[in-house]
Amino acid sequence: MAIDTFLAYVGVYGDVADAEGDYELVKDLHTEVGLIDAYDAAVVERRADGKVKIRKKHETPTRVGGVLGGGIGLATGLVVAIFPFAAIGGGILAATTGGGAILGAVAGHAAAGMSRGDLKDLGEQLDAGQAGLVVVAVSDMGAKVELAMKKAEKVEKKQIKADNAEIEKDAQEAESEAKASGS
C-alpha cells in the first residue's frame, strides 16, 4: 500500500472574490511556474441561508478525479467530508456518473486520512468566514502554497494521508456499482 502524505490548507476569507483570487494564484504555481506537479483545490462559499457551496474546483488530471472523468479529488472530498451538503449545492452529484457513490468513496478516504480533531478544526475554520479555499498539495510545496494564499484572513494546515491507488479502486468500484444499478 503506497500511502502518500499531502498537506491540506484551508484559507478563511471574508468574501468569495478573495478566495477565488488566491485560487488563481495557486493555479498559477501549477500552470505558469510549474512548481506544483499535482494539487487539488476547491473554493467554497457560505450562502445567506448558511449552506456551503463549492464554487470552483480543480483536481489534478493524473490523479483520481481525472482518471474517473468525474473531477473529484481530495480537496473536493475533504470539503464534502466536512460539509456533506456542499456536494448538492455544487452540482457535483449530477455532474458525474454514479456521482454520489464516487464522491462518497473519495470523501471517505479524505476523512480517513486525517484525525477527527483535524477535520473538526478545519470545519470550524471554514465556519469562521464567508468563503474558503481548500488546497491539497504534496508536502514539499507547503511554503509556496501558503504564500499564494495571501488574501486569507487565516490559513490552517493539516496533514492528510491517502493511497491514490486505493481511492481510485474504490471510486471505480462505486462507479461500476452505480452503473449496474442504473443510478
Side-chain angles (χ1 to χ4, degrees):
M1 180 159 53
I3 296 188
D4 295 313
T5 300
F6 300 96
L7 290 176
Y9 299 89
V10 172
V12 178
Y13 298 82
D15 63 56
V16 175
D18 285 346
E20 288 180 344
D22 282 359
Y23 168 90
E24 293 301 326
L25 291 174
V26 170
K27 186 175 169 184
D28 289 347
L29 286 174
H30 175 69
T31 57
E32 292 176 17
V33 185
L35 288 176
I36 302 177
D37 62 347
Y39 78 101
D40 297 338
V43 174
V44 294
E45 173 188 22
R46 180 170 308 288
R47 299 186 314 203
D49 62 6
K51 292 182 180 169
V52 174
K53 176 183 179 187
I54 297 173
R55 297 268 305 205
K56 283 186 171 186
K57 63 188 180 65
H58 168 85
E59 277 77 26
T60 300
T62 58
R63 295 220 322 248
V64 175
V67 173
L68 295 176
I72 299 171
L74 284 172
T76 301
L78 191 54
V79 169
V80 172
I82 297 169
F83 301 108
F85 292 106
I88 298 165
I92 295 169
L93 298 182
T96 61
T97 303
I102 295 168
L103 185 57
V106 176
H109 279 276
M114 299 183 104
S115 72
R116 269 185 198 259
D118 284 351
L119 276 173
K120 183 178 181 253
D121 288 348
L122 293 180
E124 288 172 357
Q125 292 303 314
L126 286 170
D127 278 341
Q130 285 304 112
L133 173 59
V134 177
V135 179
V136 177
V138 290
S139 56
D140 63 347
M141 291 308 303
K144 302 221 179 352
V145 170
E146 283 186 80
L147 280 173
M149 296 174 75
K150 53 179 119 187
K151 294 178 184 173
E153 295 167 4
K154 182 175 182 181
V155 176
E156 185 82 20
K157 173 175 67 173
K158 301 289 182 184
Q159 189 177 76
I160 183 170
K161 294 183 183 247
D163 180 347
N164 282 328
E166 192 66 26
I167 294 171
E168 184 173 344
K169 178 180 156 270
D170 288 353
Q172 286 175 337
E173 285 174 7
E175 181 180 37
S176 295
E177 288 172 16
K179 283 181 180 176
S181 68
S183 296

